[in-house]
Amino acid sequence: QVQLVESGGGSVQPGGSLRLSCAASRSIFSFNAMNWYRQAPGKERELVAHITSGGSTNYAASVKGRFTISRDNAKNTLYLQMNSLKPEDTAVYYCNGGYGLGVYWGQGTQVTVSS
């Protein structure tokens, strides 16, 4: 069984930064692509950022240039660096990854951007 645990969420003012972490119970080197999703109240869950096992990245248009996804295989941890945060970034953020035949999700971490 694979567990993913997010941390690093919190409240921040517009323009601020946060770094989310997602710690895996297994080596993330063995994961297929890993992703960060978010879900705002009343909205569907959306893909925010994607990173392949080879390190290639893709971002939603709404966060491109502000967010950076990375993975530290030695620490079995996925990161999301979020800069220039906006109120519309407020959501629960989830990490997700494919391992073997399964797809695994973390429990989510709340990010609130408000003045």
Side-chain angles (χ1 to χ4, degrees), residues 12 18 20 32 45 47 50 54 61 63 71 88-89 91 102 106 108 110:
V12 64
L18 285 172
L20 305 183
N32 301 319
R45 193 171 295 188
L47 179 63
H50 166 89
V63 307
R71 56 197 292 170
E88 51 264 42
D89 295 318
Q110 175 71 47

Side-chain angles (χ1 to χ4, degrees), residues 1-83:
Q1 184 157 353
V2 178
Q3 291 185 325
L4 299 174
V5 180
E6 301 98 334
S7 61
S11 295
V12 64
Q13 292 187 339
S17 298
L18 285 172
R19 188 176 78 158
L20 305 183
S21 299
C22 171
S25 61
R26 289 179 178 264
S27 170
I28 64 169
F29 181 79
S30 300
F31 276 76
N32 301 319
M34 298 192 76
N35 310 285
W36 285 99
Y37 284 78
R38 69 185 179 188
Q39 188 166 20
K43 295 188 176 182
E44 293 187 355
R45 193 171 295 188
E46 63 172 344
L47 179 63
V48 173
H50 166 89
I51 186 166
T52 68
S53 57
S56 297
T57 59
N58 277 296
Y59 299 92
S62 59
V63 307
K64 199 168 187 178
R66 300 188 297 122
F67 290 12
T68 302
I69 188 172
S70 61
R71 56 197 292 170
D72 186 331
N73 292 338
K75 295 183 177 180
N76 296 332
T77 302
L78 179 72
Y79 299 102
L80 185 68
Q81 178 67 44
M82 306 186 295
N83 299 327

